[in-house]
Amino acid sequence: MKSSPESMVLHPLAGLQPEMDIDVKMFLTSMSIFAFGACLAPPTAYGRRMESAADRAENDIMARLFRLMPGIFFGGGLLASIEALLVPRLKLVMHMGYAEAMLAQLAYYSSYLLFALPATWLTARTGALRAIAVALCIISLGCCAFAVAQYSSRYAAMLAALLMISSGATILQIACNGLMATYGAKAAAVSRFTLLQAFNAVGTVAGPVIAAWFLLGQAGPTIPLVPFLALAAGFAILAICIVRDRNLLPHAHASAPTLTRMIALIRRPKIATGTAAIFAYVGAEVTVGILAVGYLTLPDSAAVMPVAAGRLVALYWAGAMVGRFAGAWALRHIAAQRLLARAAIVAALLIAAAILLHGYVGSGALLAVGICNSIMFPTIYGLAMPRDHQDVPAASMWLCIAVIGGAIVPMLAGIIADRTSPSMALILPALCYLVILMFALSADDRPEMQR
């Protein structure tokens, strides 16, 4: 989201346009104003006196950018959670096994491997806001294509449309995350990014609640199309908002990072282990969110109907939402790597409880994993970011590629679930949380992106 791509996006201190009246979803803006102001504000009067003019200018830019971002992060969460309901729908309507239905996850998340480099190039050449606008348009068109494919019940066309949607999501991840994780007061970067990710979590909670009835309770040809057509319209509106304010940041053409520089970056221990941690986190989060529906329908668990299970999964995502708002505050008082380590340990223990205990206790333990997930992505992302702003686009690319874990881990878990049960397949995400724990224990006392 940033002569060079870094000077274009990461140092937008010149040529600013006058303040504009930006039409973003007002309830998200009102929710964010107070909390975001707290993240930007130095904690003491002494800090305010010591704040440099450059930091104040960056903070002003961050506040203006933030007015554009909550709707985007909310929409991204909505899309991800609705897409996760496709696996149980394919099992119910098209009578697929877990492994075959998980191809939808493979199609959706494989684009993070296939399109990460083109997305980095696009962000570097056009600027973050223009790249975001392109991404939103692609996602909107992809949602329309998926609705058409779903109406015709053509699985191959559905997978192609999911790949199109996720190609836009890849651009969005690289442009948005790099932009929002590195602007403004450096000391508050991780907590600020965690706060913004909370709006993504609001979307993941709303998705199952809204879409479960359409996707899991209806087998007709038209009603299941509604969620994706609504998403297409919403992302189109967001694209219009971004296009209107595309000149908020100064723009200059720049070259994408060279292959040599990208290879040198991934050889750095912090970025390499951070990439592995993102792979494990996304894989675990997506796998638990998908298997939870099947787990909750088991006779020895909650034994509920699929629609009810789909709605109960909203509690899993709600944990991430509440945890991210709380985490934005907690990360200002607890070292990021320590909080991450504790969250990983508790998540692994909760999954062990779900495997061993079953019943309502096991179901509650599984849904509570969402609370532990809440701070993981923004914290790992922030800790893995390089100190040199010139390396941010390439580092963002590697971390974005790691999201392929959302395709690989669920596929492997699906194979295990088909041969055993959804509860036994939870062993795989438990191992993923141990990978995250290892990253947290090896992390420095401060994020690399801090100076």
Side-chain angles (χ1 to χ4, degrees), residues 1-12 65 69 118-136 170-180 183 242-243 245-257 393:
M1 294 166 136
K2 307 184 180 241
S3 90
S4 74
E6 300 74 25
S7 61
M8 173 181 66
V9 177
L10 288 168
H11 301 284
L65 285 172
M69 294 299 151
T120 302
W121 178 88
L122 177 67
T123 302
R125 294 292 294 174
T126 67
L129 292 179
R130 288 174 172 81
I132 291 169
V134 171
L136 293 170
T170 302
I171 301 171
L172 207 58
Q173 284 259 11
I174 289 178
C176 279
N177 291 347
L179 177 68
M180 301 309 294
Y183 273 1
I242 294 294
V243 167
D245 294 298
R246 63 190 179 280
N247 294 320
L248 181 62
L249 300 176
H251 169 65
H253 289 291
S255 299

Side-chain angles (χ1 to χ4, degrees), residues 174-400:
I174 289 178
C176 279
N177 291 347
L179 177 68
M180 301 309 294
T182 54
Y183 273 1
K186 305 302 184 292
V190 173
S191 61
R192 185 178 60 240
F193 189 38
T194 300
L195 172 63
L196 193 56
Q197 284 287 326
F199 294 101
N200 180 270
V202 173
T204 61
V205 173
V209 173
I210 296 170
W213 182 82
F214 292 98
L215 295 178
L216 301 180
Q218 301 295 317
T222 57
I223 292 179
L225 309 182
V226 172
F228 290 94
L229 293 176
L231 284 171
F235 281 109
I237 292 171
L238 289 171
I240 293 170
C241 293
I242 294 294
V243 167
R244 190 186 64 180
D245 294 298
R246 63 190 179 280
N247 294 320
L248 181 62
L249 300 176
H251 169 65
H253 289 291
S255 299
T258 64
L259 181 61
T260 301
R261 186 160 193 159
M262 288 188 291
I263 293 175
L265 256 181
I266 197 60
R267 288 177 176 173
R268 297 182 189 178
K270 178 62 71 65
I271 296 176
T273 55
T275 300
I278 290 288
F279 179 97
Y281 159 73
V282 178
E285 183 184 52
V286 172
T287 301
V288 172
I290 292 171
L291 293 179
V293 176
Y295 180 94
L296 294 171
T297 61
L298 293 175
D300 58 351
S301 290
V304 297
M305 297 299 291
V307 174
R311 287 174 175 165
L312 283 173
V313 170
L315 296 175
Y316 170 71
W317 300 110
M321 176 187 69
V322 174
R324 279 176 179 161
F325 280 112
W329 173 85
L331 283 165
R332 294 178 61 81
H333 303 277
I334 303 173
Q337 77 281 3
R338 294 179 184 176
L339 190 61
L340 178 63
R342 294 170 188 175
I345 292 171
V346 174
L349 292 175
L350 287 171
I351 289 183
I355 295 172
L356 297 174
L357 299 179
H358 300 289
Y360 290 111
V361 175
S363 299
L366 185 62
L367 296 176
V369 173
I371 300 174
C372 302
N373 287 340
S374 61
I375 56 96
M376 289 186 180
F377 181 83
T379 304
I380 296 169
Y381 205 98
L383 288 171
M385 277 286 104
R387 296 177 188 172
D388 187 351
H389 281 171
Q390 293 184 352
D391 291 329
V392 167
S396 294
M397 183 201 73
W398 285 117
L399 295 175
C400 189

